[in-house]
Structures are given as C-alpha cells and as structure tokens.
Amino acid sequence: MYRVLVPVDRDERRAVSQADYVVRLPDAPESVEATVLYVVPPERFSRAESVSFADNEAAVAAADRLSAAGVETTRLVADGSVSREVVRTADDVDADELVVGGRKRSGVTRVLLGSTAHDLLVSADRPVTITGANAVLGEGSRTVMLPVDGSVDRARRQAEYVLGLPDAAAVEATVLYVFPHQDYRGAPEHAFDEIEAAVVAADELEAGGVSVERAAVGGEVASRIVAAAEDRDVDGVVMGGRKRSGVAKVLLGSTALDVVLSASRPVTLTG
C-alpha cells in the first residue's frame, strides 16, 4: 500500500484540498492508505487525550472526503511541536509522502509557506507535497510534470518518486528542461537530448512503464515551469530542489521556492 500522511490545521479549505490531492493519486481506493493528523499546537495548552478529532471541522472534512472516495483513513490527534509530531508520525506510519496544506502569497519565506510547511520541507526525509488552499488538479488520467535541472541525482529521485506511486504505469509524465533565459531571437536550439539529467529521468520513467513527453524550452525557469504545468493541466509538479543546510532559498533552491509559491498546482519536493 502507498501510505500518505495528511497533517491538517483548522483551515477547512486547505484540509479539503489536501484530501482532494490524495483522492487523485492513481488507484487511490485500492492502493492508498491515508492518515489525517491534527497536532494540537503548544499554545493551545491542551493535551491530545483531551481533544477529540471530531472537534476539528477541518480534520473531519478531510477524513470524510477521503473515506467517501474509498480511501482507507486513520484519524489521529497528537500534541506538541507540530512539525516534530508530523515527522514522528510519518516515521511511525512509514509514510511514502506528506501532503501539506500551507502556502500563501506574500511575506517572508516562512510566512509564504507557513512555518510548519517550511519546517517539514527542510527536515522531513520523504517527499513533501504542498497543495495550498485552492489547488488545481487535472482531469482524466493522472498527469505529472518533472522539471529537471542539471543534477542527475535529483532527476533520478524525481523519477523514483513517480515510479513509486501506486499504479505508476497509468501515470502520464512530462520531463521538462528549461534553458535559462534562452528565449531571445537567435537563441540556440533547445535540444532535450543535450541534458543528461533530463534523458536519465525520461529513460527511467519509460523503463518503468510510464508514458513520457520530453520537452525543452528556453526562458525564465520558474515562470516557464508554471506556464507548462497550466498548459498541460497536470495534477502535480515534481521538483527535485531540496537541501539540508543554508538559508531558506538555498534550502529549497530558488527555482523550487518560486514554483511552490506561484504555481496553482500541487508541488512535490523530493530532494
């Protein structure tokens, strides 16, 4: 089974958006197990044993949406440091993916993402998907886009994430490489096959039975990625940029951060 941890706060729109993303995973009713987790923040001065899951309307809405779609769903309440409890629970349930709701449009990085989402992107050792409150999902077959940079290792991890999805062979993927700022008259030809990381990701996906479109364009990288995701109506953008040290832009990678904050589609960061 593919195990997903869905940590929610008290924002019902974000919680439902998180649940909708999980429901759109391939073969979700048969192959996905979801755990909806509400962590009582320290400032509420409550212990988990004194708080009912049913008291959080957002958590109930997410769990009910998942259950109604046929996804086996566990409902949990914990207390303490939110990000620490999320990481601990992810280890306990051996989650394949965290689906987090925090994403805003203004302010400094931690406010932009939400402090918990930011902490999880930095500390979690498994893929983290940011959905936001109004994530746009595709229709029909599950479609994803993998924008790669020049790192073969990151490209492989992006491909491995897709291949690890339930019923991965039913997924349609676009591997995209953006030649930075090469959108002027007389720019060199944008040749996908010149980029080893892009070729490796596409080849590994195809070897795993995933249908792949290979695409190369020129321009400002983040905006091209966002535009391509909209044009292809994808269910999610799978990014590789995530590191473990340095300031926030370095932790996430500046392009990954820009895409997370500006895309209307869910964005998964694999590291």
Side-chain angles (χ1 to χ4, degrees), residues 8-185:
V8 299
D9 55 19
R10 289 184 171 272
D11 186 304
E12 187 167 340
R13 287 192 308 155
R14 278 200 296 267
V16 169
S17 187
Q18 290 165 260
D20 286 343
Y21 171 85
V22 176
V23 169
R24 276 286 290 165
L25 288 170
D27 196 33
E30 300 297 327
S31 302
V32 175
E33 293 178 354
T35 298
V36 178
L37 171 68
Y38 172 59
V39 180
V40 183
E43 62 269 19
R44 293 183 67 88
F45 302 106
S46 299
R47 303 291 294 175
E49 57 267 23
S50 66
V51 176
S52 170
F53 186 96
D55 292 335
N56 183 341
E57 293 182 1
V60 171
D64 285 352
R65 182 71 63 98
L66 289 162
S67 295
V71 176
E72 183 178 339
T73 305
T74 300
R75 306 174 186 222
L76 290 180
V77 177
D79 59 72
S81 164
V82 178
S83 56
R84 187 178 303 121
E85 285 302 310
V86 171
V87 170
R88 183 190 63 77
T89 304
D91 290 339
D92 287 348
V93 303
D94 193 22
D96 295 289
E97 180 175 349
L98 305 182
V99 179
V100 181
R103 186 167 65 189
K104 298 172 182 160
R105 294 289 186 250
S106 62
V108 296
T109 300
R110 285 174 68 88
V111 176
L112 281 164
L113 290 175
S115 60
T116 297
H118 175 273
D119 290 347
L120 291 173
L121 284 170
V122 172
S123 60
D125 60 356
R126 58 200 76 223
V128 178
T129 296
I130 306 292
T131 62
N134 299 294
V136 177
L137 299 170
E139 298 181 358
S141 300
R142 174 82 177 182
T143 58
V144 297
M145 189 171 72
L146 290 73
V148 299
D149 57 18
S151 170
V152 172
D153 287 343
R154 278 197 292 273
R156 281 202 169 104
R157 287 194 290 272
Q158 289 167 265
E160 287 167 1
Y161 164 79
V162 175
L163 293 172
L165 292 171
D167 196 17
V171 175
E172 298 176 1
T174 297
V175 178
L176 173 70
Y177 182 77
V178 181
F179 287 84
H181 305 293
Q182 292 188 12
D183 56 351
Y184 52 88
R185 181 176 295 179

Side-chain angles (χ1 to χ4, degrees), residues 236-260:
V237 179
V238 181
M239 302 286 296
R242 191 172 73 191
K243 303 186 178 97
R244 295 290 184 255
S245 61
V247 296
K249 273 184 90 71
V250 177
L251 281 164
L252 296 177
S254 59
T255 298
L257 177 61
D258 289 346
V259 172
V260 167

